Amino acid sequence: MGAIRSAEGGPLRRAGRGVGRVLRSPFTGAARGVRKATHAHGAGESGLGKLIELHAVNSAGDMMITIALASTVFFSVPTDQARGRVALYLAVTMAPFALLAPVIGPLLDRVPHGRRAAMAGAMLTRALLALTMSGAVATGGLELYPAALGVLVASKAYGVVRSAVVPRLLPPRISLVKANSRVTLGGLLATGLAAPLGAGLHQLGPEYPLYGACAVFAFGTFLSFTLPHKVDSAKGEARARLVSGEHRPIRHPRAGKPERNGNNGRQGTQGKKNKKPGLRTVGSSVLHGLQANSAMRMLSGFLTFFLAFMLRVHPLGGLSPAMSLGVVAVAAGGGNALGTAIGALLRSRGPEAMIALVLSMSLAMVVTAAVLYSPVAIGAVAAVAGISQALGKQSLDSLIQRDVPEEVRTSAFARSETLLQMSWVVGGAIGILLPLNGVLGMSVAAGFLALGVATAVRGLLTAARRGSPHPRVA
C-alpha cells in the first residue's frame, strides 16, 4: 500500500514542481532581465548595478508616498480649496526645508566613511515616517506636514549621498553622464511600475500606499548595505583641486610630484597649508549649470501646479479634467524617460553644451505654446520640459562630479539640490498664484526661461569651447 502511494506521489510531486516552475518563470525571467540590464558594460563588477537597483527601490517608495499625499492634499477637495491646501503644504514643508537643507551637506561631509549607513538611515527614516503618516493621511490633519517634511529631508539626503557615490562606482567604459542617466532611468522605470501599484493600494484605503512605501523602504535599508565596501573608502582616489584666476591646476602630492602654487612656482608645503576648498570658486561651468537648471526646475514646478489647477477648470479639448491631467502627466513622464534614455545612450562628454541646448529648447517650445496655444502645444511643452529637466540634471551632476573636489563634493550636491528644490517651489508658487489663463501662463514661463538663457547660456558655451581645466574624477 505504501509502495502504491509512493508511486502515485512521485508523479504528483513532479507535476507540482513543473507547475511551480511555470508560475515562477515570468518573475524569475524578469528578474534576470533586470539584473542583466543593470549590470551591463561593467556595471556589475564596479558596483554601479547595485546602486541602480537601490535607486529603483528608492524611487518606487517615493512614488507611493506621492500618491498618498496627492490624494489627500489635491484630489480630495474642490479646486479653490485645493489651491489653499497646496499653498499651505508648500509653506509648511518648504520653509523649514530651506533652513535644514544647507546643513545636510556639511553633516554628510563628516561621515565620508559611512555613506552606506547614511543611505540606509535615509531609507529607514522614510519607512518609519510612512507609518506615522498612515494615521493622518485620511484626515489631512496638520500632523501630516511635519512627517512630510521629514520624508523630504530624508529623500534629499539620500539623493545627495547617491550623487556623491556614483563616481566611486564608475566602470572604466562609462562616462559620468551615462552613469547618471542609467541610475535615473532605473528610478523612472521603477516609478512607472509603482504608480499603478500605489493607485491600486489607494483603492483599499488612503493609508495603504503608505504601508507599501514602508515595506519598500525597509527593503531599501537592507539593499544599502549590499553596496561595495569601496563606497565607504577614499583609498586610492585622486582629488581634484579648485582653479581660480590666480592659480593653475595643482596636482595632488600622491601623484608623486611636488605641488606648485600659481603665484611664483615655488615648491614646498604651502599647498598643504591651504584651507579646505570652498564652494564659491567651483568654476563657471558649475555655476552657469546651476543657473540654467534652476530656470528649468522653475518651469517644472510652474507646470506641475499651474496646469494641474488650470486643467481642472479648463480641460483640454473635449476631454474630462482627469483625462486632461493624465495626458499632460504621461507627456511629462514620457519626456523625462526619453531624456534619461538619451543621456544613457549619449557618447558626448560635453555637459555644458547639453545644458545650454536643452534650456534653449525649453524656451523655444514655451514661446511657441504662448503664441500658438492649443492642447497639442501644452502636451509638447510638458514633454520638452521632461526631456530638458532629465538631461540638464544629469549634466549638472556630471559637472559637479568632474569639477568639484572630493572634500566638498557632498556639500556641493546638497547645496545644488537645495537651490533646485527652492527654484521648483518658486515656480510652483507662481503657478498657484497666477490667474488660470493658458496664454498668460506660458508667457510668464517664457519670461523666467529667457532670464535663465540670458544669464547662463553664453557662459556655458564659452566654458564648453575652452574645455574643463580639471582632471576627471572617478
Side-chain angles (χ1 to χ4, degrees):
M1 197 71 175
I4 295 175
R5 282 198 299 267
S6 176
E8 291 177 349
L12 289 177
R13 283 196 296 269
R14 288 195 293 271
R17 287 194 294 267
V19 171
R21 283 195 296 269
V22 171
L23 294 176
R24 290 195 305 268
S25 60
F27 301 99
T28 56
R32 283 194 296 268
V34 169
R35 177 57 61 92
K36 183 178 179 180
T38 57
H39 286 56
H41 304 107
E45 292 78 6
S46 71
L48 181 65
K50 289 184 179 293
L51 182 62
I52 295 172
E53 293 167 358
L54 175 63
H55 186 63
V57 170
N58 172 81
S59 300
D62 278 344
M63 171 51 65
M64 290 188 177
I65 288 183
T66 299
I67 290 173
L69 289 177
S71 64
T72 302
V73 176
F74 180 75
F75 288 107
S76 61
V77 294
T79 300
D80 291 339
Q81 295 181 33
R83 295 181 82 169
R85 278 199 180 190
V86 171
L88 176 64
Y89 175 82
L90 290 179
V92 172
T93 58
M94 293 301 172
F97 177 78
L99 300 176
L100 293 174
V103 181
I104 294 176
L107 181 62
L108 293 175
D109 279 338
R110 296 179 181 274
V111 288
H113 302 291
R115 289 187 172 92
R116 294 188 303 169
M119 298 173 88
M123 293 281 185
L124 182 60
T125 297
R126 282 178 287 173
L128 297 176
L129 288 174
L131 282 181
T132 302
M133 295 167 65
S134 64
V137 71
T139 62
L142 287 180
E143 65 271 19
L144 182 69
Y145 297 107
L149 172 62
V151 169
L152 177 62
V153 172
S155 179
K156 292 307 173 185
Y158 161 83
V160 167
V161 179
R162 188 263 300 172
S163 297
V165 161
V166 171
R168 299 167 182 265
L169 303 178
L170 194 66
R173 295 176 292 170
I174 297 181
S175 67
L176 281 170
V177 173
K178 182 177 288 190
N180 288 324
S181 300
R182 291 181 65 176
V183 173
T184 306
L185 185 59
L188 285 175
L189 293 175
T191 298
L193 293 174
L197 176 60
L201 289 174
H202 184 263
Q203 299 302 313
L204 301 177
E207 69 277 11
Y208 280 89
L210 293 168
Y211 295 152
C214 178
V216 169
F217 285 129
F219 180 57
T221 303
F222 164 76
L223 283 184
S224 299
F225 290 107
T226 66
L227 293 174
H229 288 281
K230 62 184 176 181
V231 166
D232 291 332
S233 173
K235 183 179 179 180
E237 290 185 352
R239 290 187 177 186
R241 292 293 178 183
L242 294 176
V243 176
S244 64
E246 294 80 22
H247 292 79
R248 294 191 300 271
I250 301 176
R251 297 192 65 179
H252 197 274
R254 280 186 290 181
K257 294 185 179 181
E259 292 183 296
R260 296 175 181 267
N261 64 41
N263 295 325
N264 53 21
R266 291 194 303 269
Q267 297 182 9
T269 60
Q270 182 175 351
K272 296 181 180 180
K273 296 179 182 179
N274 289 339
K275 293 181 179 181
K276 185 177 181 179
L279 295 176
R280 295 183 180 180
T281 54
V282 292
S284 61
S285 292
V286 174
L287 294 178
H288 290 309
L290 271 171
Q291 291 170 342
N293 272 271
S294 295
M296 289 186 285
R297 194 61 68 92
M298 278 187 68
L299 176 64
S300 174
F302 174 81
L303 293 177
T304 298
F305 293 108
F306 179 75
L307 292 181
F309 291 120
M310 192 189 73
L311 295 178
R312 290 182 70 171
V313 178
H314 307 292
L316 297 175
L319 300 177
S320 66
M323 286 294 294
S324 299
L325 288 170
V327 168
V328 172
V330 168
N336 202 312
L338 179 59
T340 303
I342 291 172
L345 299 173
L346 206 59
R347 295 181 181 273
S348 171
R349 299 197 177 199
E352 296 96 339
M354 177 57 65
I355 295 174
L357 173 63
V358 295
L359 177 60
S360 302
M361 182 174 67
S362 296
L363 175 60
M365 191 64 248
V366 171
V367 169
T368 301
V371 175
L372 304 174
Y373 185 81
S374 67
V376 174
I378 291 297
V381 165
V384 170
I387 295 173
S388 300
Q389 182 176 318
L391 285 172
K393 182 59 168 65
Q394 292 160 16
S395 299
L396 176 63
D397 285 350
S398 298
L399 287 176
I400 295 175
Q401 290 161 345
R402 185 193 73 186
D403 291 357
V404 177
E406 176 72 23
E407 298 95 312
V408 292
R409 189 183 297 148
T410 305
S411 292
F413 275 118
R415 296 187 186 186
S416 69
E417 287 286 341
T418 303
L419 176 61
L420 295 181
Q421 189 73 35
M422 292 300 104
S423 299
W424 188 87
V425 172
V426 170
I430 295 173
I432 293 172
L433 299 174
L434 206 63
L436 300 179
N437 181 284
V439 174
L440 174 63
M442 294 301 105
S443 300
V444 170
F448 57 72
L449 283 177
L451 180 62
V453 168
T455 57
V457 167
R458 182 179 178 182
L460 285 167
L461 294 179
T462 300
R465 287 193 297 268
R466 186 173 61 241
S468 173
H470 304 278
R472 181 175 180 270
V473 180

